[in-house]
Amino acid sequence: MNISKTQRGRAAAAVSVAAVLALTATACGDDGTQSGTEGSGKGDITFWDNNGGPRTAIWTEIIKDFEKKNPGIKVKYVPIPITDVQSKYDTAIAGGGLPDVGGVGTAYLANMVAQEALEPLTDRIKDSALKGRLVEGMVESVKDAGGRGDDMYTVPTSANNGAIWYRTDLFKAAGLDAPTTWADFYKAADRLTDSKKNKFGYTIRGGAGSIAQAMDAAYGQSGITEFWNGDKTTLNDPKNVAALEKYVALYKKATPAADLNNDFTKMVAQWDTGTIGMLSHNLGSYQDHLKALGKEKFAGIPNPIGDGGTRVQVSNPVDGLGLFRSSKNKTAAWKFIEFAASHASNSKWNESAGAIPANTEAAKDPWISETAPTELAAEALTDGSTKIVQLPYYLPDWNNISKADNEPEFQKLLLGKVTTKAFLDKIADELNKAQAEWKRIGNG
C-alpha cells in the first residue's frame, strides 16, 4: 500500500517554538531536551490522544485491556482535541510537560523530530512482535515524514483516505448517479440545492482543516500528479487555479453560508441532519453517519475521477504512536505502544474509526470487507486506479503553512476578498521558501 512517498534527508532544522498555550494536563515526561530513562517497566505512564473526544471511547477500552494484561502499569489518558494537538506538543516541548506516549500523525511529525522530542523506534521495532507486521506503505510514510532516512519516530497505526459521502436516498429521488466523476459531482451539487427550503447539494469546509480539502479538490480536477516541479510547487499551476476557482464558486450557491466557519465536526454534524446531498471528509466519520442516518441512506466512495479518466488525490496523513525522549519510563511506554499496534487492538481501533489498519494481520480482518467505504478506499490505494500527489509532510513548516497560517486566507477567498490565484500564489511562495531552506541545511 503506497500511502505516501516523499523525499528523505538526514536532518531537519531545529525549530524555535514559543509557548502559545498553557498546558492543562500534567504528564510523567519532561520537556523535549531531556533524554529520560528506560525505567522499571512498571508504574504510571501518560498517554495523549491526538483526537480526543471522537476516539476517547475506543482508547478507554484499549487502555482497560492493556492494564488487565499488564497489572503493574497504569495509563493516564489525556484527550487532546485534534485542532489543538500540535500547539499542545509545541508548548510542552518548549516549557515541559510532555507525555510518555502520544498520538503523532505524519502531518506534524517533522516538526517534532526537528525539536528532538521523539525517541527513534527502528531498533525497538526490530526486537518486538511488530517486526514484519506493519503495512510497508505506512512504514515508508512515517520514515519519509520524519525526514531522517530510515529512522522511524512513530509506529504507524492507521491510514485515512478522502471520500465523498452522499445521500443515496436524495440522489435516487433526484434521479442522479453516484458522484463518481467531477462532472457528476457538480451536477448533483446544483440539482440538490433549493436554498429557499434550506436544502443544499454540498457542504464545503471553510474553517479549521480547509486547506487540505481545497488542495484535494484542485489536484483532483486538474489531473496534476506531482507536488513539485523541480524546486517549485505545482500548487499554483494555472490548471489548479482554474480547478479551485470552480470549486470555491459553490460557496453560498450550492452550500450553506455557515460553511465559512465549519471545521470537520460542525461540517459532519450539519451533513448528518439530512438536508445536504454531499460531504467531502475522510473515512473517520463513517460511524457518525451510520448513527445519524442508518446504513440505507448514505454511501461513501473514493474522490471523483477527473476528465482524463484518472482519480487524483492528495496524500492523507498516516497516524501513529510516538515515544517521547523525555519519558522516565520508556520500557512501560513501549509496552503500551506494542499493545496498541498489535493485531487485536489495531483492528478494534480502526474498525471503530472506519480507517485502514497498519497492522498487516488486522488489515485482513473480515470487518473491512463488511464496511464498504473502507474497502473501496483500500482498493483505490492499491489497485493502481488512483494517482497520489505526495504532500511534503517532511517540511518542518508544513503544518503551519497548510493550516493556521492560511486558513483565514481561504475564508477570504470564499468571501471574494482575494482571488484564487493570489491565494495559491501566497501558499506556493511560502512552500517554495520552506523547501529551499530544507535543502539548504543539507536535506534532499
Side-chain angles (χ1 to χ4, degrees):
M1 184 181 297
N2 187 11
I3 307 293
S4 175
K5 187 76 175 173
T6 56
Q7 302 175 42
R8 298 188 197 173
R10 282 298 304 158
V15 181
S16 174
V17 182
V20 294
L21 291 174
L23 282 177
T24 58
T26 59
C28 295
D30 202 340
D31 66 51
T33 65
Q34 305 298 313
S35 60
T37 60
E38 288 298 318
S40 67
K42 297 185 181 297
D44 296 347
I45 59 172
T46 297
F47 165 56
W48 282 10
D49 176 7
N50 60 343
N51 194 6
R55 303 289 170 249
T56 294
I58 187 61
W59 273 121
T60 300
E61 185 177 339
I62 291 171
I63 290 169
K64 186 181 295 184
D65 293 342
F66 173 77
E67 291 179 340
K68 184 177 181 180
K69 189 173 181 180
N70 298 272
I73 304 173
K74 184 72 175 177
V75 180
K76 179 180 180 180
Y77 171 80
V78 180
I80 308 293
I82 193 170
T83 53
D84 298 338
V85 66
Q86 184 176 4
S87 63
K88 288 287 189 182
Y89 279 139
D90 285 345
T91 302
I93 291 168
L98 282 167
D100 300 278
V101 179
V104 180
T106 50
Y108 47 90
L109 177 62
N111 178 56
M112 296 175 69
V113 171
Q115 297 179 81
E116 305 294 344
L118 295 168
E119 182 91 353
L121 301 176
T122 308
D123 290 340
R124 291 180 190 264
I125 292 171
K126 287 179 181 178
D127 295 332
S128 79
L130 296 177
K131 181 180 179 181
R133 290 185 171 86
L134 297 172
V135 173
E136 185 59 31
M138 298 191 204
V139 169
E140 291 300 311
S141 290
V142 299
K143 287 180 181 179
D144 295 341
R148 293 191 176 179
D150 286 331
D151 286 338
M152 291 177 64
Y153 288 87
T154 184
V155 172
T157 54
S158 66
N160 223 317
N161 200 54
I164 292 287
W165 300 101
Y166 70 102
R167 287 289 305 274
T168 50
D169 54 343
L170 299 182
F171 271 67
K172 183 178 180 180
L176 291 166
D177 295 326
T180 55
T181 68
W182 281 102
D184 289 338
F185 167 82
Y186 282 109
K187 179 181 178 181
D190 178 65
R191 184 82 65 83
L192 295 174
T193 296
D194 187 345
S195 57
K196 292 181 180 178
K197 295 182 179 180
N198 200 36
K199 295 180 179 180
F200 299 93
Y202 186 60
T203 175
I204 198 168
R205 190 168 184 166
S210 60
I211 305 298
Q213 184 172 322
M215 288 183 181
D216 214 13
Y219 281 100
Q221 295 175 81
S222 72
I224 296 171
T225 59
E226 298 292 337
F227 193 80
W228 298 106
N229 181 10
D231 292 331
K232 303 295 183 183
T233 180
T234 59
L235 182 61
N236 58 340
D237 183 283
K239 291 181 180 179
N240 277 336
V241 173
L244 186 59
E245 195 168 46
K246 183 176 182 179
Y247 180 74
V248 299
L250 292 173
Y251 177 62
K252 289 204 299 186
K253 178 183 177 183
T255 80
D259 283 357
L260 181 69
N261 296 304
N262 279 358
D263 58 13
F264 88 94
T265 53
K266 294 175 183 176
M267 186 173 62
V268 167
Q270 182 174 267
W271 189 74
D272 285 345
T273 63
T275 60
I276 299 173
M278 296 178 292
L279 162 74
S280 293
H281 192 248
N282 59 46
L283 299 171
S285 55
Y286 173 73
Q287 293 295 337
D288 294 319
H289 308 325
L290 189 63
K291 182 178 180 180
L293 301 171
K295 196 171 184 178
E296 303 304 319
K297 290 186 178 181
F298 79 99
I301 57 176
N303 285 354
I305 295 170
D307 292 341
T310 301
R311 179 183 294 110
V312 178
Q313 65 179 62
V314 300
S315 57
N316 278 264
V318 171
D319 206 10
L321 294 171
L323 173 62
F324 286 85
R325 290 181 69 241
S326 58
S327 170
K328 301 299 191 295
N329 201 349
K330 293 178 186 178
T331 301
W334 176 248
K335 285 181 182 178
F336 177 68
I337 292 175
E338 279 187 297
F339 184 86
S342 68
H343 177 185
S345 297
N346 192 241
S347 184
K348 184 182 293 187
W349 191 96
N350 280 281
E351 183 175 11
S352 172
I356 304 169
N359 186 289
T360 54
E361 295 170 308
K364 299 174 184 176
D365 283 350
W367 67 264
I368 292 179
S369 61
E370 296 167 3
T371 310
T374 303
E375 183 180 31
L376 289 172
E379 288 176 357
L381 293 173
T382 58
D383 65 6
S385 66
T386 303
K387 300 295 183 182
I388 306 295
V389 179
Q390 307 297 346
L391 300 179
Y393 300 127
Y394 58 87
L395 293 176
D397 289 336
W398 165 254
N399 219 35
N400 288 329
I401 293 172
S402 64
K403 290 191 176 181
D405 289 355
N406 284 295
E407 286 167 352
E409 293 300 311
F410 186 71
Q411 292 180 319
K412 292 179 183 178
L413 175 60
L414 291 177
L415 293 171
K417 294 182 178 180
V418 298
T419 66
T420 305
K421 184 177 185 304
F423 169 73
L424 291 179
D425 281 347
K426 178 182 182 294
I427 300 177
D429 181 61
E430 293 170 4
L431 287 167
N432 291 339
K433 289 177 180 177
Q435 174 78 346
E437 175 63 15
W438 187 76
K439 286 193 170 186
R440 187 189 68 78
I441 60 175
N443 298 285

